[in-house]
Amino acid sequence: MSKGPISQFVEKYYLHFNAAALVDAAKAYEKQLEDGAKMMVTLAGAMSTAELGKIFAEMIRRDKVQIISCTGANLEEDIMNLVAHSHYERVPNYRDLTPQQEWDLLERGLNRVTDTCIPEHEAFRRLQKHIYKIWKDADDKGERYFPHEFMYKMLLSGVLEEYYEIDLKDSWMYAAAEANLPIIVPGWEDSTMGNIFASYVIKGELKASTMKSGIEYMTFLADWYTKNSSNGVGFFQIGGGIAGDFPICVVPMLYQDMEMHDVPFWSYFCQISDSTTSYGSYSGAVPNEKITWGKLDINTPKFIIESDATIVAPLIFAYLLDL
């Protein structure tokens, strides 16, 4: 399939420095898929609130990503955007807000993520009403699921349809649910829904064991990786943090702790990051450091694009989608 105008633009004008790294990373990602490798995409930060779903959902539908690792915030905020988009408020002058102005937003039920405010009642509480019923049903039956599996159940049940405020094709979580795509959500407790679930546990309304844990996510990933890495698995990391740090460790765990010495290293690595390279900063570490930890091979294609992920990721995805 021939490349579209966006892809042609970046190939013509993105020739040096971070721009060139963007093109090189996109072409290497494409080659991974052509060679039969699978790709993990990790989502840190507030990519869902940044509406990355508008293009990431199509990446899922077109089988350009086979597994996702994301924060609990990204897991839920894509669905929040789906059901409450018209109630969001943009704050272009967010850098200039005073503490009093921030307090005023809180009193209006608006939780700010950089330049965008998420409405508490229309987003958080709307999801809480429906997800609690699904949690409680599993709890009563003695069933246990992962956080993303509960979200899939809610999306596919149709209970949120009356609230939809954006085109369903722009929700990456709905695309993932339809494909039953595996998702890893390390540290899910550090999210609004995670906090809400914990509150029900404290109140004695739910058992903590109803929600599968991070250790179980790691064992699930270990099984998935061993079954899917024969032609390689690439690692495309958006931002830093636990969404990337957690899953990349599955390779050294299998090799060193399980002594499975035939397990291949990650076959591709790219990170989009604006973290400054510095002592002790894992998000700012250059990819070669990962060789010493048994995550990447000497010959693994490695890329780091030091830029804003909200600018870079859509361009790379557009290239992969031939846009």
Side-chain angles (χ1 to χ4, degrees), residues 32 37-41 66-67 224-225 231-236 265-270 300:
Q32 285 284 304
K38 298 186 184 299
M39 189 66 69
M40 169 180 276
V41 173
Q66 287 73 45
I67 185 169
W224 184 93
Y225 192 92
N231 291 321
V233 180
F235 198 94
F236 187 84
F265 294 102
W266 294 97
S267 61
Y268 163 101
F269 177 82
C270 175
T300 301

Side-chain angles (χ1 to χ4, degrees), residues 78 119 137 251:
D78 179 82
D137 182 61
V251 170

Side-chain angles (χ1 to χ4, degrees), residues 14-296:
Y14 282 34
L15 303 176
H16 299 283
F17 317 134
N18 278 296
L22 182 158
V23 177
D24 291 343
K27 289 182 176 180
Y29 188 134
E30 190 171 59
K31 186 175 188 306
Q32 285 284 304
L33 297 181
E34 289 172 352
D35 291 344
K38 298 186 184 299
M39 189 66 69
M40 169 180 276
V41 173
T42 78
L43 303 176
M47 290 297 101
S48 289
T49 293
E51 298 185 70
L52 189 66
K54 283 192 168 187
I55 192 165
F56 191 47
E58 187 63 17
M59 287 280 289
I60 294 169
R61 285 190 291 270
R62 297 264 292 272
D63 198 28
K64 304 292 185 181
V65 50
Q66 287 73 45
I67 185 169
I68 294 168
S69 174
C70 72
T71 57
N74 276 301
L75 187 77
E76 66 195 17
E77 287 177 13
D78 179 82
I79 306 175
M80 291 176 185
N81 181 59
L82 173 64
V83 302
H85 183 76
S86 68
H87 299 277
Y88 280 58
E89 287 192 23
R90 186 154 179 265
V91 187
N93 63 326
Y94 66 91
R95 292 182 178 89
D96 304 321
L97 296 182
T98 64
Q100 182 60 52
Q101 289 172 313
E102 302 277 20
W103 183 263
D104 293 343
L105 289 173
L106 170 66
E107 291 197 318
R108 292 175 56 208
L110 294 171
N111 302 119
R112 186 170 68 83
V113 180
T114 311
D115 70 349
T116 303
C117 289
I118 302 175
E120 179 177 347
H121 297 291
E122 294 81 5
F124 301 154
R125 302 309 168 191
R126 188 168 285 175
L127 290 196
Q128 178 181 358
K129 171 185 173 182
H130 294 287
I131 197 69
Y132 172 74
K133 292 177 182 177
I134 297 172
W135 289 339
K136 182 62 174 170
D137 182 61
D139 194 90
D140 290 343
K141 293 178 180 177
E143 297 173 351
R144 307 178 64 244
Y145 298 99
F146 284 118
H148 76 278
E149 292 177 317
F150 279 115
M151 295 295 197
Y152 281 0
K153 286 177 180 291
M154 180 171 62
L155 282 168
L156 297 176
S157 72
V159 296
L160 299 179
E161 287 181 11
E162 63 179 297
Y163 309 115
Y164 289 171
E165 295 194 351
I166 65 169
D167 194 324
L168 197 55
K169 70 178 177 61
D170 292 338
S171 166
W172 74 260
M173 270 295 291
Y174 191 82
E178 281 197 310
N180 195 26
L181 202 72
I183 302 183
I184 308 300
V185 193
W188 174 76
E189 300 82 2
D190 178 24
S191 68
T192 299
M193 291 301 116
N195 292 171
I196 290 171
F197 184 86
S199 75
Y200 287 121
V201 173
I202 293 168
K203 290 183 287 188
E205 296 181 34
L206 294 173
K207 296 185 289 292
S209 59
T210 298
M211 191 67 62
K212 289 189 175 181
S213 70
I215 294 296
E216 288 168 289
Y217 260 133
M218 182 58 82
T219 58
F220 169 84
L221 177 58
D223 181 64
W224 184 93
Y225 192 92
T226 55
K227 291 176 178 176
N228 288 274
S229 57
S230 57
N231 291 321
V233 180
F235 198 94
F236 187 84
Q237 181 174 350
I238 299 176
I242 196 171
D245 299 351
F246 181 96
I248 202 169
C249 291
V250 73
V251 170
M253 184 199 74
L254 289 169
Y255 188 93
Q256 298 169 11
D257 303 321
M258 293 298 295
E259 298 183 356
M260 297 170 63
H261 296 161
D262 57 342
V263 169
F265 294 102
W266 294 97
S267 61
Y268 163 101
F269 177 82
C270 175
Q271 181 180 9
I272 306 168
S273 175
D274 58 5
S275 178
T276 304
T277 301
S278 60
Y279 297 108
S281 166
Y282 186 62
S283 295
V286 295
N288 280 352
E289 183 177 297
K290 293 170 175 59
I291 295 173
T292 72
W293 289 89
K295 299 166 184 174
L296 305 181

